[in-house]
Amino acid sequence: VASKGKIFIPSFAIGRAQNILFYLAELIRAKRIPRVPIFLDSPMAIEASRLYAQYQDLFDEESTELVENGQMGSDLRTVHFCEHAEQSKAINHRRGPFIVIAGSGMCNAGRILHHLSNNITDPNAHVVIVGFQARGSLGRHLVDGAQHVSIFGRWLPVNARIHTLGGFSAHAGRSQLLDWIRPMASHGPAIFLTHGEDDARRSLADLISTTSGVTPHLPVYAEHLTI
């Protein structure tokens, strides 16, 4: 912000985008970051946010209080919803500092690609990764420190600063998965580990086998299974 930089946050539209807005509001309220324009540049995330607002009776106590006393609205009064492509394109002509939250979360599609295409070469731009980046995705290349990336068929130098914030995953961790499986183990269930990269799947499979006596199956692409 001090250097009038532009901050881009690739985000999943449902859950993650709203989570990021919540924490940005918290940071603004605590005066840990200054109030700057925030652009939610994702039609799906905007629609999801409106759905969240319709079901405030499901909020936890803290969120309910912040909404009812108007604090959340005050904290996020600089948020702009960019529903139309023209609004998204207009961001390119703005000077920083500002924050853009846009999909897709792994930088493989969506409006974040256009923002990265226009700003990845700028040393005063920042890309904040707030979600898991699958192997082969553009986001993964950035996290792994690629010096050049291909966007829309152009090889571009990565001069922007890449930051990774862990801890935002909505998935259960290993210990939580084991706790979930444990009560079922005595019934001898068939366990298929389909999600995640191979090293992580093998590690979890070994742990499940050791702790529950059930050996999980790790399906591979195009494998047929009879259940």
Side-chain angles (χ1 to χ4, degrees):
V1 170
S3 63
K4 302 189 184 306
K6 302 176 181 181
I7 302 163
F8 300 94
I9 305 178
S11 175
F12 304 114
I14 300 175
R16 191 63 46 83
Q18 294 75 30
N19 212 11
I20 296 301
L21 285 173
F22 180 89
Y23 284 110
L24 286 174
E26 192 171 76
L27 291 169
I28 291 169
R29 190 181 319 126
K31 301 189 185 319
R32 293 182 61 186
I33 63 172
R35 194 181 303 280
V36 299
I38 300 171
F39 298 97
L40 184 58
D41 190 17
S42 164
M44 185 185 293
I46 292 168
E47 187 62 27
S49 299
R50 288 173 175 155
L51 283 172
Y52 271 63
Q54 290 179 28
Y55 296 94
Q56 295 178 14
D57 56 312
L58 300 177
F59 288 2
D60 61 20
E61 188 174 321
E62 178 188 7
S63 298
T64 299
E65 183 179 352
L66 288 170
V67 171
E68 289 182 348
N69 66 20
Q71 183 64 56
M72 185 64 73
S74 175
D75 295 335
L76 296 177
R77 64 177 181 267
T78 60
V79 172
H80 305 276
F81 285 179
C82 300
E83 297 187 72
H84 306 294
E86 293 74 18
Q87 294 171 305
S88 179
K89 293 175 183 177
I91 297 173
N92 293 324
H93 306 296
R94 292 185 65 107
R95 301 183 65 180
F98 58 73
I99 298 169
V100 176
I101 303 170
S104 66
M106 295 187 190
C107 308
N108 266 4
R111 294 181 179 179
I112 194 64
L113 273 179
H114 296 274
H115 293 301
L116 294 177
S117 176
N118 291 319
N119 294 277
I120 200 71
T121 62
D122 181 3
N124 202 31
H126 299 257
V127 180
V128 183
I129 303 294
V130 294
F132 176 73
Q133 306 298 306
R135 185 176 295 145
S137 66
L138 173 58
R140 181 63 168 266
H141 291 316
L142 294 175
V143 168
D144 287 346
Q147 296 184 351
H148 291 79
V149 291
S150 176
I151 304 177
F152 297 134
R154 294 190 301 153
W155 279 98
L156 301 171
V158 180
N159 298 328
R161 295 180 60 183
I162 311 300
H163 312 266
T164 302
L165 297 181
F168 282 104
S169 175
H171 295 287
R174 183 172 67 174
S175 61
Q176 293 169 305
L177 288 171
L178 290 174
D179 289 343
W180 179 71
I181 288 171
R182 194 170 290 114
M184 295 182 281
S186 60
H187 301 290
I191 298 176
F192 301 89
L193 300 184
T194 62
H195 194 65
E197 296 181 356
D198 287 343
D199 289 346
R201 286 201 303 164
R202 281 192 290 267
S203 175
L204 181 60
D206 290 342
L207 198 58
I208 291 173
S209 180
T210 301
T211 58
S212 72
V214 179
T215 301
H217 184 74
L218 279 58
V220 297
Y221 177 69
E223 180 179 355
H224 290 250
L225 299 168
T226 301
I227 299 177

